[in-house]
Amino acid sequence: MVKTMLTQERRTKILDLLKEKGSVTVTQLSECFDASESTIRRDLVALSQLGRLKKVHGGAMITSQEFLRNEEVMEEKSLKFVDEKTQIAMYAAQQINDDDFVFIDAGSTTYLMTKHIKDTKATFVTNGIAHAKELSKNGCKVFVLGGELKETTEAIIGLVAASNLQKYNFSKAFIGANGITEKQGFTTPDTEEAMLKAVAIERSFVPYVLADSSKFGKVSAVSFGGLDCACIICDKCSDESVKKKCVVKEVI
């Protein structure tokens, strides 16, 4: 009886971890729960048979999509998945050349990206207030879009901002997303933010979407592009259906 209780408790925690991260490996779970990999594999098989997760090679991922009903404020976002976001941000910053004309979207990962952009002659346009300040502090030439300020995400949004964005032709754009799935593509909670992201992608020669692994399998209210419209830069992606639809660069 004790063994059954311990097993059930571990499997419940595996599901909780999956909800947080979107995907996990057998090795990660083995280390996390101090259990053998064969034990973890049996757990994953059992949970998969119950339809609670999708078993993939070397690990598991969320089997069903999660609908995001609320959006966290910038302060909350910046405290989650910091190590993963930092690695993504560093790689993204390395893609910028001196002759680039770049759009940087508002968001926690794109903000971290601005901290690694230094000593460049590239020109930047952003709808993120904090992003503009950081780029300017680092000696970059930066333009800020005009429009409505959204307090929760500290982003400039709205029709005016979208209209201003239509004037530009970017060599590269770096966009944030709240959810990524095969069917719904890239999603975000706010209609006006989605419109701005879609315009930025449309006006860019090479668009990138920056997303940590927790964003996979999640759906937000508004789609701003299909998977084939941008390259994804992430820490890791265990969703093979996503990888088949677009270019995915895993940095960890």
Side-chain angles (χ1 to χ4, degrees), residues 194-212:
M195 176 175 58
L196 205 70
K197 294 173 188 287
V199 171
I201 289 174
E202 178 188 348
R203 307 299 298 181
S204 301
F205 184 66
V206 182
Y208 299 91
V209 169
L210 278 52
D212 63 79

Side-chain angles (χ1 to χ4, degrees), residues 118-168:
K118 299 177 181 179
D119 302 321
T120 180
K121 296 178 181 178
T123 300
F124 300 88
V125 176
T126 183
N127 66 324
I129 300 300
H131 301 55
K133 288 182 178 179
E134 189 67 30
L135 288 167
S136 180
K137 186 178 72 174
N138 292 343
C140 300
K141 185 176 182 179
V142 55
F143 295 90
V144 183
L145 287 178
E148 177 188 352
L149 177 62
K150 183 179 179 181
E151 183 182 2
T152 54
T153 57
E154 299 178 5
I156 303 296
I157 61 172
L159 288 172
V160 174
S163 177
N164 288 334
L165 203 56
Q166 289 279 7
K167 302 173 184 177
Y168 297 112

Side-chain angles (χ1 to χ4, degrees), residues 18 22 51-55 61-65:
L18 263 178
R52 303 297 301 277
L53 55 77
K54 180 179 180 181
K55 193 173 180 300
M61 60 183 294
I62 295 175
T63 185
S64 59
Q65 298 171 356

